[in-house]
Amino acid sequence: MSQQGLTSRLEQLRDKIRYHEYRYFVLDSPEISDAEFDQLIKELQRLEAQNPQLITPDSPTQRVGGEPLPGFRKVEHKRQMLSLDNAFNASGIINFANRIYRLAGSEQLDFVVEHKIDGLSAILTYQAGILIQGATRGNGLIGEDVTENIKTIRSIPLKLPERIDLEVRGEVYISKKDFAEINRERLEAGEALFANPRNAAAGSIRQLDPRIAAERSLSLMAYQLVHYEREEITSHARALSLLEGLGFKVNWYRKTPLVDELIACCQDWTKRRDDLPFEIDGLVIKVDDLNLRRELGSTAKSPRWAIAYKFPAQQKVTIVEDIIISVGRTGALTPSARLKPVQLAGSTVSRATLHNLDEIKRKGVKIGDSVLVQKAGDVIPEVVKVITDKRTGAESDFVMPEQCPVCGGEVLREEGEAVFRCTNITGCPAQRREGILHFISRNAMNIEGVGPALIDQLLAKGMITDFADLYRLKKDELLSLERMADKSAGNVIKAIAASKGRPLHRLIFALGIRHVGSGVARVLSQNYPSLDLLAEATSEELVAIEEIGPVIAASIVSFFKERNNREVIAKMKKNGIMPEFRPEKEQEKPELVGKRFVFTGGLSSYSRAEAKERVIAAGGKVTANISKNTDYLVAGENPGSKLVKAQQLGVLILDQKKFEELLT
Ligand code: AMP
Ligand code: ZN
């Protein structure tokens, strides 16, 4: 291909990827499968690796940059980023509107009411259509340059459809679902929990390693167009629709001159906030006319033209009927309060987490107590405090059981630890179940479409005892389960097989070694390119790695010493799961570059999409039909007519084993 041809091919590919990122991350309505999307990315990565001089900073491959930063640069904001005045009820809103009417000398004006997302604000700067900077608000005058992390947010365009200079403000946030997932992992890893999605988002955007930020599933909702050169904008609603047109995700909003309607919206969303996939802590009401806004100006703290309607606190008093224990993946016994059911901001609450015994003591919670509970984020609610005035003397202290409530194993608390654990590591069914759920979870092996209900059935029927058994499941076996149709059984098998090709660091994380979160797993995979090598590592070796301290090292060594763990790993290996560390750029195999592959029949160790991906990563091409230009036909089980045709044309035919040999 000529240089010019290549450049235009790259641009085509990038535009296609941008479009599909937009469909997926902004509109939430993808047109192609994840695998097809990954293929586009892989193709672009391959072309760029071959032609590094043609990489542009706005390429979709450049979202996750390289090395961790030593620190963040400070950014002085051109315009101060203010906070908002609050209203807590209808009369607060009416007072706000009346104040505006008085200052404007008119009641004929529009307001815009929009969601107040509970995240942190960021300001994005584009030059000639290219994202050049992302900064946090900081103290309003000076923020931090978090460009590298902002670029990992895939609902943010790196390149605009127009070559314009632009400044956009928006809220960086994490969805409730991703927040719950992050906290679940942190709990299992013994790390401190984030109190709410906002803290999780703030913690993630301030990660010095953009690869970690990229894993946190951050989003951005744009709410203010600060500067636009193409037209003079006089309406906020118009600015929001311009932002939508430029490819940004924009808050829900409504424009109206009616104060009653503003109030109705606030009341309505107070009831419906739980239906949203992200946290909102209220609504913001703004004057629509941007010229009027300028006249109104701001006080030292906040603009006069806007007000935040804040939801009432989500707190209620109820009774602790009992304190019950659940057993986690690492055997941790986590107490939680069984509550007399109470309505809290749109949902019924009957459980509250108590974290651990120290927490129960610190809060002084007894069984039978009246307590104030609150909802923080989407996780189970928590006890704020005991209402001691309501004590009758009939309350009783909680006692940590000496035996595991699930398996009867001995319960111990290690020196200096807050957590009590069931010591029956190999035999405890609760630990095993949680371990499997962790293994299949999104940041681990990401086995889609397999969830707790299916795992429980498989365990109950004795079809699996650990995660290695998943890889032995057959479709026929699955069909014997309740509500399992042919198609879904096939999908489960496919999803499990697809996970075989996951990178080593995911597998290390999936094993569920205590204190080994996804970041540590990545570091380990870079130092130990296979699980066998990691299994032999000594503590001295491990602590020599910068990111690994003695606690993590000890935990890794003892994990691999445990006989049961060794058996499960051996079983995995027998079932064909033994990934090795593959540095991204060295995957290409010179002898396969440009070779054309065609597939027919099913492969047992991975899905078709995954097999294609591997061919593309190795530098080959995949086409749908056989021709005399085809180099290889990969024939799996039950091959179709392509096999005959390949034989006629003299195309090289590979079975699965030969295909794998060729790739490795
Ligand atoms: P506060 O921190 O309560 O004073 O509220 C001001 C903050 O609300 C801003 O700094 C933004 O981070 C955030 N915010 C969320 N959604 C919006 C919105 N739609 N318009 C303006 N600010 C918003
Ligand atoms: Zn147990």
Side-chain angles (χ1 to χ4, degrees):
M1 217 184 286
S2 70
Q3 189 78 356
Q4 210 184 353
L6 193 60
T7 311
S8 71
R9 172 83 192 108
L10 281 169
E11 250 338 282
Q12 241 177 13
L13 206 49
R14 287 174 189 148
D15 279 343
K16 208 161 161 187
I17 293 170
R18 285 185 193 117
Y19 172 74
H20 290 298
E21 277 188 328
Y22 173 71
R23 298 282 327 179
Y24 188 97
F25 293 100
V26 178
L27 301 184
D28 209 2
S29 127
E31 279 175 0
I32 59 176
S33 71
D34 290 3
E36 283 168 304
F37 180 79
D38 286 347
Q39 234 167 292
L40 292 174
I41 293 271
K42 287 265 161 73
E43 187 182 350
L44 180 60
Q45 276 172 342
R46 185 174 58 81
L47 287 175
E48 289 184 340
Q50 288 166 350
N51 306 282
Q53 76 284 3
L54 297 181
I55 299 178
T56 56
D58 63 325
S59 170
T61 58
Q62 303 303 301
R63 285 200 180 270
V64 185
E67 295 305 299
L69 304 169
F72 294 117
R73 234 172 24 88
K74 298 270 178 257
V75 176
E76 204 172 319
H77 298 306
K78 276 186 242 144
R79 301 171 189 80
Q80 192 177 352
M81 295 178 76
L82 299 167
S83 84
L84 295 169
D85 236 356
N86 295 322
F88 297 98
N89 45 37
S91 65
I93 297 173
I94 294 169
N95 289 343
F96 165 73
N98 285 337
R99 201 160 60 237
I100 301 288
Y101 293 152
R102 201 175 57 240
L103 293 170
S106 160
E107 299 195 0
Q108 306 302 313
L109 51 92
D110 284 323
F111 294 98
V112 172
V113 54
E114 57 195 47
H115 282 158
K116 184 169 189 300
I117 315 269
D118 199 9
L120 73 152
S121 52
I123 177 149
L124 315 181
T125 310
Y126 290 81
Q127 253 172 25
I130 305 291
L131 176 68
I132 55 152
Q133 188 181 66
T136 60
R137 175 182 158 195
N139 64 8
L141 293 167
I142 295 174
E144 283 177 322
D145 181 341
V146 290
T147 311
E148 289 304 311
N149 290 339
I150 287 286
K151 280 167 78 177
T152 67
I153 303 178
R154 292 167 83 180
S155 48
I156 296 180
L158 296 181
K159 183 185 175 195
L160 303 174
E162 302 171 44
R163 282 179 58 88
I164 44 170
D165 290 356
L166 195 74
E167 257 182 63
V168 181
R169 284 186 196 174
E171 195 80 352
V172 174
Y173 67 96
I174 287 185
S175 75
K176 292 174 181 173
K177 192 163 142 264
D178 289 320
F179 168 69
E181 176 80 1
I182 291 172
N183 258 358
R184 203 179 56 77
E185 270 174 21
R186 292 176 76 88
L187 187 69
E188 289 287 359
E191 294 169 42
L193 300 187
F194 287 121
N196 50 47
R198 188 233 316 253
N199 288 3
S204 305
I205 206 75
R206 300 201 63 249
Q207 278 288 338
L208 290 170
D209 187 344
R211 288 168 296 193
I212 297 180
E215 278 173 7
R216 293 277 174 83
S217 316
L218 294 163
S219 276
L220 178 123
M221 206 74 100
Y223 60 73
Q224 196 178 338
L225 181 56
V226 183
H227 169 81
Y228 184 71
E229 55 185 27
R230 288 274 158 95
E231 70 177 54
E232 202 209 333
I233 312 168
T234 53
S235 148
H236 177 58
R238 166 80 186 136
L240 292 177
S241 83
L242 268 171
L243 284 171
E244 275 179 300
L246 290 168
F248 290 94
K249 211 162 162 172
V250 170
N251 291 1
W252 170 90
Y253 67 92
R254 173 163 303 164
K255 179 170 152 176
T256 174
L258 303 174
V259 176
D260 283 348
E261 195 174 340
L262 298 174
I263 294 169
C265 284
C266 292
Q267 286 167 346
D268 184 42
W269 281 111
T270 305
K271 276 182 252 143
R272 291 205 288 140
R273 60 189 290 199
D274 281 359
D275 301 342
L276 291 168
F278 45 81
E279 279 286 322
I280 59 175
D281 62 340
L283 290 101
V284 188
I285 299 169
K286 299 172 178 175
V287 169
D288 183 60
D289 181 340
L290 301 187
N291 290 326
L292 176 56
R293 280 195 190 180
R294 232 160 281 138
E295 279 170 38
L296 293 167
S298 28
T299 67
K301 197 182 135 277
S302 47
R304 288 196 189 86
W305 45 262
I307 196 152
Y309 169 78
K310 290 274 178 81
F311 292 135
Q314 306 197 88
Q315 291 188 333
K316 279 251 174 91
V317 174
T318 186
I319 292 166
V320 176
E321 291 178 332
D322 199 0
I323 293 181
I324 48 184
I325 295 286
S326 63
V327 183
R329 169 168 63 85
T330 56
L333 269 54
T334 305
S336 62
R338 200 183 76 217
L339 302 171
K340 182 160 175 245
V342 57
Q343 281 296 115
L344 198 55
S347 67
T348 308
V349 168
S350 54
R351 272 288 271 282
T353 176
L354 292 166
H355 300 296
N356 55 47
L357 189 61
D358 291 349
E359 191 75 1
I360 294 178
K361 286 194 180 140
R362 198 175 61 77
K363 287 185 175 154
V365 182
K366 294 175 185 233
I367 297 165
D369 262 340
S370 291
V371 290
L372 186 67
V373 287
Q374 80 176 7
K375 249 177 146 181
D378 202 34
V379 280
I380 53 171
E382 58 184 9
V383 170
V384 181
K385 62 173 186 187
V386 175
I387 317 287
T388 37
D389 292 354
K390 291 205 176 177
R391 285 223 168 117
T392 62
E395 298 79 12
S396 57
D397 279 322
F398 165 75
V399 194
M400 191 56 95
E402 287 170 11
Q403 258 115 34
C404 170
V406 178
C407 72
E410 192 189 358
V411 169
L412 283 180
R413 177 188 210 164
E414 274 167 43
E415 269 296 302
E417 272 225 41
V419 181
F420 288 76
R421 289 177 204 275
C422 161
T423 53
N424 180 14
I425 309 172
T426 56
C428 181
Q431 293 187 46
R432 212 178 297 142
R433 171 183 190 266
E434 296 302 319
I436 298 173
L437 293 181
H438 170 73
F439 184 85
I440 63 176
S441 66
R442 210 188 57 195
N443 288 341
M445 294 299 261
N446 189 18
I447 305 188
E448 279 172 35
V450 179
L454 178 60
I455 296 297
D456 285 340
Q457 280 196 69
L458 293 170
L459 283 168
K461 297 231 158 140
M463 288 161 67
I464 59 170
T465 53
D466 51 51
F467 44 73
D469 290 337
L470 288 171
Y471 296 94
R472 281 208 302 235
L473 287 173
K474 297 271 176 312
K475 194 169 149 188
D476 304 349
E477 288 177 275
L478 290 180
L479 286 173
S480 71
L481 298 176
E482 271 169 54
R483 273 175 289 146
M484 181 63 81
D486 194 68
K487 180 146 186 266
S488 39
N491 288 342
V492 167
I493 297 288
K494 254 192 232 151
I496 294 172
S499 73
K500 285 189 178 180
R502 302 265 182 264
L504 178 61
H505 68 90
R506 279 179 173 262
L507 177 61
I508 295 175
F509 174 61
L511 292 176
I513 307 170
R514 247 168 86 193
H515 306 298
V516 176
S518 0
V520 171
R522 202 182 276 277
V523 170
L524 289 171
S525 82
Q526 285 158 356
N527 287 276
Y528 296 93
S530 76
L531 213 50
D532 285 343
L533 291 172
L534 180 61
E536 256 134 54
T538 63
S539 312
E540 294 76 57
E541 258 172 51
L542 287 163
V543 291
I545 303 172
E546 203 187 329
E547 293 88 344
I548 312 277
V551 177
I552 303 180
S555 165
I556 294 168
V557 171
S558 83
F559 178 90
F560 287 104
K561 246 200 221 136
E562 179 64 48
R563 206 192 50 176
N564 188 61
N565 292 334
R566 283 219 303 271
E567 281 169 11
V568 177
I569 290 171
K571 199 150 64 163
M572 299 255 293
K573 205 164 162 178
K574 232 178 77 201
N575 294 338
I577 306 109
M578 255 313 116
E580 295 196 341
F581 176 65
R582 288 174 297 187
E584 297 286 342
K585 287 197 181 82
E586 286 164 27
Q587 280 179 20
E588 194 167 283
K589 306 204 52 135
E591 68 275 24
L592 292 183
V593 171
K595 290 280 188 297
R596 289 163 201 265
F597 284 74
V598 175
F599 287 91
T600 180
L603 300 172
S604 59
S605 48
Y606 26 74
S607 69
R608 181 72 67 83
E610 215 147 16
K612 282 186 185 173
E613 239 173 60
R614 293 194 57 187
V615 168
I616 291 165
K621 293 198 176 77
V622 176
T623 55
N625 297 310
I626 297 269
S627 76
K628 59 179 193 322
N629 295 327
T630 307
D631 295 292
Y632 297 108
L633 176 76
V634 181
E637 288 157 27
N638 303 321
S641 62
K642 288 181 200 168
L643 183 58
V644 182
K645 194 154 180 214
Q647 282 161 343
Q648 286 166 355
L649 291 170
V651 171
L652 264 175
I653 295 164
L654 303 174
D655 61 17
Q656 185 166 323
K657 197 158 146 272
K658 291 219 196 79
F659 171 61
E660 270 166 23
E661 282 166 9
L662 192 67
L663 285 176
T664 47

